[in-house]
Amino acid sequence: MRKNIVAGNWKMNNDLSQTESLISDLKSQVQTSNAEVMIAPTFVNLWHAFEALRQDSIEVVAQNMHFADNGAYTGEVSAEMLKSLGIKTVILGHSERRAYFNETDESLAKKVDQALQHGMRVIFCFGEELQDRKAGNQETVVKSQLVNALCHLDADAYKNIVLAYEPVWAIGTGETATPEQAQDMHAFIRSLFKERYNNDVADNLSILYGGSVKPNNAKEIFGKPDVDGGLIGGASLKAEDFFAIVNAF
Ligand code: PEP
């Protein structure tokens, strides 16, 4: 059975005191939920967030990691470092990492391998740009991102993979894919994994939607049969909005 997941990507927001305050707001609003709930604070506050949420059901996850074990990679963070804090899940391939830090399908394939070899779960992000959608090429672009970065994996590896379809034109823009556009793409992705692997892999894969999910549109988007939750940027920075989205399930 695939899981419903709502993950908040805090990006480069929230210093230490803001992290403390948002976590305290989140803790005061935590109810039992029909979804797994995650937050991804900046690296420098990961340990603090992890400690603060140790007794809670909210999982603290990382926004990125490097593909090497260790070494001369100034400013980078390894899988072992994350694991030593207790972090079990990492977001890889966010479009901002691709756009501003030159991440490619090839480097992401190495990161995915590294995370899986260390027993971590990966939330793998991908999605087309506006010009791809306007040209009607969204499925071709998404297919090539997925095939190039993931399809070397064996079927068993997908137990530790979560997909996050994030059309770039909908991230932080206030423009959301319609629930139908999200459903069409998620169904396409699931059929791709059915074709490349088997029904079991496809049916058990959680596919999240990301791109301006807000309290007022979450229910309709999450109500689509192939949408298993969301990766939430802006709206994850306010506890009230984030939990309204979590409670949309
Ligand atoms: C994101 O960055 O993953 C994201 C979905 O951002 P937003 O919700 O702000 O569009």
Short mmCIF file of all heavy atoms in Angstrom, two decimals, residues 184-207:
data_model
loop_
_atom_site.label_atom_id
_atom_site.label_comp_id
_atom_site.label_asym_id
_atom_site.label_seq_id
_atom_site.Cartn_x
_atom_site.Cartn_y
_atom_site.Cartn_z
N ASP A 184 -3.28 13.81 -14.51
CA ASP A 184 -2.83 13.28 -15.81
C ASP A 184 -1.36 12.92 -15.75
O ASP A 184 -0.94 11.86 -16.21
CB ASP A 184 -3.05 14.31 -16.93
CG ASP A 184 -4.52 14.44 -17.29
OD1 ASP A 184 -5.34 13.63 -16.79
OD2 ASP A 184 -4.85 15.37 -18.06
N MET A 185 -0.56 13.83 -15.19
CA MET A 185 0.88 13.56 -15.13
C MET A 185 1.18 12.41 -14.17
O MET A 185 2.01 11.53 -14.47
CB MET A 185 1.64 14.83 -14.72
CG MET A 185 3.14 14.64 -14.68
SD MET A 185 3.83 14.08 -16.27
CE MET A 185 4.08 15.65 -17.09
N HIS A 186 0.52 12.39 -13.02
CA HIS A 186 0.79 11.30 -12.07
C HIS A 186 0.40 9.94 -12.66
O HIS A 186 1.10 8.95 -12.47
CB HIS A 186 0.05 11.55 -10.74
CG HIS A 186 0.69 12.62 -9.91
ND1 HIS A 186 0.82 12.52 -8.53
CD2 HIS A 186 1.24 13.80 -10.24
CE1 HIS A 186 1.44 13.62 -8.08
NE2 HIS A 186 1.69 14.40 -9.10
N ALA A 187 -0.71 9.91 -13.41
CA ALA A 187 -1.13 8.65 -14.04
C ALA A 187 -0.09 8.24 -15.09
O ALA A 187 0.25 7.06 -15.23
CB ALA A 187 -2.51 8.81 -14.66
N PHE A 188 0.42 9.23 -15.82
CA PHE A 188 1.45 8.94 -16.83
C PHE A 188 2.70 8.35 -16.15
O PHE A 188 3.27 7.36 -16.61
CB PHE A 188 1.81 10.23 -17.59
CG PHE A 188 3.04 10.09 -18.41
CD1 PHE A 188 3.01 9.37 -19.61
CD2 PHE A 188 4.25 10.64 -18.01
CE1 PHE A 188 4.17 9.21 -20.38
CE2 PHE A 188 5.41 10.48 -18.77
CZ PHE A 188 5.36 9.77 -19.95
N ILE A 189 3.10 8.95 -15.03
CA ILE A 189 4.30 8.49 -14.31
C ILE A 189 4.08 7.06 -13.82
O ILE A 189 4.93 6.19 -13.96
CB ILE A 189 4.61 9.44 -13.13
CG1 ILE A 189 5.01 10.82 -13.65
CG2 ILE A 189 5.70 8.85 -12.22
CD1 ILE A 189 4.90 11.94 -12.62
N ARG A 190 2.90 6.81 -13.27
CA ARG A 190 2.63 5.46 -12.76
C ARG A 190 2.66 4.44 -13.91
O ARG A 190 3.20 3.35 -13.78
CB ARG A 190 1.30 5.44 -12.00
CG ARG A 190 1.33 4.45 -10.83
CD ARG A 190 0.07 4.47 -10.00
NE ARG A 190 -0.15 5.66 -9.21
CZ ARG A 190 0.53 5.99 -8.11
NH1 ARG A 190 1.48 5.21 -7.66
NH2 ARG A 190 0.25 7.12 -7.46
N SER A 191 2.12 4.85 -15.04
CA SER A 191 2.12 3.89 -16.17
C SER A 191 3.55 3.67 -16.68
O SER A 191 3.90 2.57 -17.10
CB SER A 191 1.19 4.37 -17.29
OG SER A 191 1.75 5.50 -17.90
N LEU A 192 4.38 4.70 -16.58
CA LEU A 192 5.79 4.54 -16.99
C LEU A 192 6.48 3.47 -16.13
O LEU A 192 7.21 2.61 -16.63
CB LEU A 192 6.50 5.90 -16.85
CG LEU A 192 7.99 5.92 -17.10
CD1 LEU A 192 8.31 5.66 -18.57
CD2 LEU A 192 8.57 7.29 -16.71
N PHE A 193 6.22 3.52 -14.81
CA PHE A 193 6.86 2.55 -13.91
C PHE A 193 6.27 1.15 -14.07
O PHE A 193 6.95 0.16 -13.85
CB PHE A 193 6.85 3.06 -12.46
CG PHE A 193 7.93 4.08 -12.25
CD1 PHE A 193 7.68 5.42 -12.48
CD2 PHE A 193 9.22 3.70 -11.90
CE1 PHE A 193 8.69 6.37 -12.35
CE2 PHE A 193 10.23 4.63 -11.78
CZ PHE A 193 9.98 5.98 -12.00
N LYS A 194 5.01 1.11 -14.49
CA LYS A 194 4.38 -0.18 -14.78
C LYS A 194 5.09 -0.81 -15.98
O LYS A 194 5.43 -1.99 -15.98
CB LYS A 194 2.89 0.07 -15.11
CG LYS A 194 1.97 -1.03 -14.64
CD LYS A 194 0.52 -0.57 -14.66
CE LYS A 194 0.07 -0.17 -13.27
NZ LYS A 194 -1.32 0.22 -13.17
N GLU A 195 5.33 0.03 -16.98
CA GLU A 195 5.96 -0.44 -18.21
C GLU A 195 7.43 -0.81 -17.97
O GLU A 195 7.91 -1.85 -18.43
CB GLU A 195 5.84 0.71 -19.21
CG GLU A 195 6.41 0.54 -20.57
CD GLU A 195 6.48 1.94 -21.23
OE1 GLU A 195 5.45 2.65 -21.30
OE2 GLU A 195 7.59 2.33 -21.64
N ARG A 196 8.15 0.02 -17.21
CA ARG A 196 9.59 -0.22 -16.99
C ARG A 196 9.85 -1.32 -15.97
O ARG A 196 10.88 -1.97 -16.01
CB ARG A 196 10.27 1.05 -16.47
CG ARG A 196 10.32 2.14 -17.49
CD ARG A 196 11.28 1.73 -18.56
NE ARG A 196 11.95 2.84 -19.07
CZ ARG A 196 13.11 2.81 -19.76
NH1 ARG A 196 13.71 1.76 -20.03
NH2 ARG A 196 13.66 3.85 -20.20
N TYR A 197 8.93 -1.46 -15.00
CA TYR A 197 9.12 -2.44 -13.92
C TYR A 197 7.91 -3.37 -13.91
O TYR A 197 7.81 -4.23 -14.75
CB TYR A 197 9.32 -1.74 -12.57
CG TYR A 197 10.63 -0.98 -12.52
CD1 TYR A 197 10.72 0.36 -12.91
CD2 TYR A 197 11.80 -1.61 -12.08
CE1 TYR A 197 11.94 1.04 -12.87
CE2 TYR A 197 13.02 -0.93 -12.04
CZ TYR A 197 13.08 0.39 -12.43
OH TYR A 197 14.28 1.06 -12.40
N ASN A 198 6.99 -3.15 -13.00
CA ASN A 198 5.82 -4.02 -12.93
C ASN A 198 4.70 -3.31 -12.15
O ASN A 198 4.91 -2.21 -11.62
CB ASN A 198 6.19 -5.36 -12.25
CG ASN A 198 6.87 -5.12 -10.91
OD1 ASN A 198 6.39 -4.34 -10.09
ND2 ASN A 198 8.00 -5.78 -10.68
N ASN A 199 3.56 -3.95 -12.04
CA ASN A 199 2.41 -3.35 -11.34
C ASN A 199 2.72 -3.05 -9.88
O ASN A 199 2.27 -2.05 -9.33
CB ASN A 199 1.20 -4.28 -11.38
CG ASN A 199 0.57 -4.28 -12.74
OD1 ASN A 199 0.98 -3.53 -13.63
ND2 ASN A 199 -0.43 -5.13 -12.92
N ASP A 200 3.46 -3.97 -9.28
CA ASP A 200 3.76 -3.83 -7.87
C ASP A 200 4.54 -2.53 -7.58
O ASP A 200 4.17 -1.75 -6.70
CB ASP A 200 4.59 -5.06 -7.46
CG ASP A 200 4.48 -5.31 -6.00
OD1 ASP A 200 3.36 -5.18 -5.49
OD2 ASP A 200 5.52 -5.61 -5.38
N VAL A 201 5.60 -2.31 -8.36
CA VAL A 201 6.40 -1.08 -8.19
C VAL A 201 5.50 0.13 -8.42
O VAL A 201 5.46 1.07 -7.61
CB VAL A 201 7.61 -1.05 -9.16
CG1 VAL A 201 8.24 0.34 -9.22
CG2 VAL A 201 8.65 -2.09 -8.75
N ALA A 202 4.77 0.12 -9.51
CA ALA A 202 3.96 1.29 -9.87
C ALA A 202 2.88 1.57 -8.82
O ALA A 202 2.67 2.72 -8.41
CB ALA A 202 3.32 1.07 -11.23
N ASP A 203 2.21 0.52 -8.37
CA ASP A 203 1.08 0.72 -7.45
C ASP A 203 1.53 1.15 -6.06
O ASP A 203 0.79 1.80 -5.33
CB ASP A 203 0.25 -0.57 -7.33
CG ASP A 203 -0.48 -0.87 -8.63
OD1 ASP A 203 -0.62 0.05 -9.46
OD2 ASP A 203 -0.88 -2.03 -8.82
N ASN A 204 2.76 0.77 -5.70
CA ASN A 204 3.22 1.11 -4.34
C ASN A 204 4.04 2.39 -4.26
O ASN A 204 4.50 2.77 -3.19
CB ASN A 204 4.04 -0.06 -3.78
CG ASN A 204 3.10 -1.20 -3.42
OD1 ASN A 204 2.12 -1.01 -2.72
ND2 ASN A 204 3.38 -2.37 -3.96
N LEU A 205 4.24 3.03 -5.39
CA LEU A 205 5.05 4.25 -5.44
C LEU A 205 4.22 5.45 -5.00
O LEU A 205 3.18 5.75 -5.61
CB LEU A 205 5.51 4.42 -6.89
CG LEU A 205 6.75 5.20 -7.25
CD1 LEU A 205 7.95 4.85 -6.38
CD2 LEU A 205 7.07 4.95 -8.72
N SER A 206 4.67 6.15 -3.96
CA SER A 206 3.98 7.39 -3.58
C SER A 206 4.45 8.49 -4.51
O SER A 206 5.66 8.73 -4.64
CB SER A 206 4.31 7.78 -2.13
OG SER A 206 3.75 6.85 -1.24
N ILE A 207 3.51 9.16 -5.16
CA ILE A 207 3.85 10.27 -6.06
C ILE A 207 3.21 11.54 -5.51
O ILE A 207 1.99 11.67 -5.45
CB ILE A 207 3.36 10.01 -7.51
CG1 ILE A 207 3.79 8.62 -7.99
CG2 ILE A 207 3.91 11.10 -8.44
CD1 ILE A 207 3.29 8.26 -9.41
#
